[in-house]
Amino acid sequence: MAGAVLNDKPATAARAATQARPSRTGKQHRKNTNYGLESQWQCLPDRTLLNFDRKGWVLTTGLLQQQQLQRVQACVEQVVQQRKLDSLRHRVRVLCPGHKSQPGSITSAEQAQELIQQHGSSQLGFLQFFNLHRTQTIIAELVRSQQLAATAAQLLGVKKLRLYQDCVFLKEPGFAETNWHSDLRMAPLDCNAFVTAWVPLRPVSGAQGDSGLLFAEGSHRDFALPFWHDLRDRDLADRQYKLQDTGAMQVGD
């Protein structure tokens, strides 16, 4: 699934990626979408499942509790303060692979940003903080919650899931647009049953400069495209995808 993020305001999003091995055919999937889920978790309507299959993404509103996400946000803000320099060093490794400076020698955020500006293969678009669920209980409760698991299981048409990773994305004012990309292409998995939950930790207006994700609908069915073409600086218009963003999102969507 190709997606881009555009944002000129401080934004934080937590992402949980899950993968599963399908245990039934598409025809069998349409016969039963409940999978024994407890009654308190709402089953997704057939229209949502069909849209996910055709477009590669869906917006589920009010899925998570705002109080839980407020606690998650407080936890994330603390982690960001503690690990921001490490995250910048990671971006230097990714964006400046041929530079002689060792990331461990970077001692300030200003130094890291200057290296990326001068030697980076692209501009700094975001910071990442991986797998906080391993050390932060409140994050673990979110990414392993029944709400997310039940939704992912229905979308993938499976009974069992595995958590691949969680990742907090931070976009600060002045950060560049996120390049077009496919999450699954960057995961070391021999499996197409993969879904990412993108969870905003503050309201997103959907206006220019404060958008969520932008999707190239149907691009999940064109998975081999990045192996044959360089997608950098390409808007995918020649593939005739319909570009659609999530619009406004509230905490809990």
Side-chain angles (χ1 to χ4, degrees):
M1 186 67 244
V5 183
L6 303 90
N7 206 324
D8 290 333
K9 297 183 179 180
T12 311
R15 185 181 74 174
T18 59
Q19 63 97 7
R21 179 171 295 176
S23 59
R24 56 182 67 190
T25 65
K27 183 178 180 181
Q28 290 171 322
H29 163 64
R30 300 305 300 164
K31 290 182 179 179
N32 179 12
T33 59
N34 191 4
Y35 307 117
L37 300 176
E38 297 182 23
S39 59
Q40 65 263 39
W41 309 126
Q42 181 179 3
C43 291
L44 298 176
D46 288 346
R47 178 178 297 180
T48 298
L49 300 177
L50 184 60
N51 283 338
F52 179 75
D53 183 63
R54 289 178 174 176
K55 299 179 179 180
W57 75 280
V58 290
L59 173 63
T60 52
T61 59
L63 182 68
L64 303 170
Q65 296 181 356
Q66 292 190 8
Q67 291 182 345
Q68 181 186 25
L69 291 177
Q70 288 173 355
R71 296 193 298 270
V72 169
Q73 182 183 19
C75 175
V76 165
E77 289 176 349
Q78 183 178 11
V79 170
V80 167
Q81 290 180 354
Q82 296 171 348
R83 305 185 187 179
K84 187 174 182 179
L85 182 56
D86 287 336
S87 181
L88 281 165
R89 289 168 175 163
H90 170 260
R91 299 311 295 165
V92 169
R93 287 196 297 271
V94 173
L95 299 176
C96 310
H99 194 261
K100 60 182 180 180
S101 295
Q102 295 296 321
S105 66
I106 298 172
T107 58
S108 69
E110 292 75 15
Q111 182 184 1
Q113 291 173 330
E114 183 177 356
L115 282 172
I116 293 172
Q117 184 176 6
Q118 294 179 354
H119 306 286
S121 57
S122 62
Q123 295 179 318
L124 180 62
F126 51 80
L127 298 180
Q128 294 171 285
F129 304 83
F130 291 98
N131 291 319
L132 302 189
H133 75 277
R134 296 177 179 175
T135 57
Q136 307 296 323
T137 302
I138 186 64
I139 305 296
E141 291 175 352
L142 172 63
V143 300
R144 294 173 177 168
S145 66
Q146 293 188 25
Q147 297 98 315
L148 287 181
T151 303
Q154 291 177 83
L155 291 174
L156 294 176
V158 299
K159 291 183 177 181
K160 295 182 179 181
L161 296 167
R162 291 179 180 176
L163 175 65
Y164 168 59
Q165 71 173 15
D166 72 82
C167 181
V168 169
F169 283 77
L170 174 66
K171 291 185 75 73
E172 294 184 335
F175 278 18
E177 296 179 357
T178 303
N179 295 329
W180 285 104
H181 64 279
S182 171
D183 289 349
L184 182 55
R185 178 171 171 258
M186 296 178 286
L189 303 173
D190 185 16
C191 177
N192 288 331
F194 181 91
V195 64
T196 297
W198 194 85
V199 182
L201 298 182
R202 68 156 178 85
V204 176
S205 70
Q208 185 175 4
D210 188 29
S211 70
L213 296 178
L214 177 65
F215 294 95
E217 293 186 342
S219 60
H220 63 303
R221 297 182 178 275
D222 204 357
F223 187 74
L225 181 64
F227 294 95
W228 298 101
H229 302 278
D230 186 354
L231 298 187
R232 290 175 295 183
D233 301 322
R234 184 175 176 182
D235 63 5
L236 300 180
D238 59 327
R239 305 299 291 182
Q240 299 183 342
Y241 299 133
K242 178 182 178 181
L243 303 185
Q244 182 65 52
D245 61 30
T246 59
M249 295 182 69
Q250 301 300 319
V251 175
D253 293 348

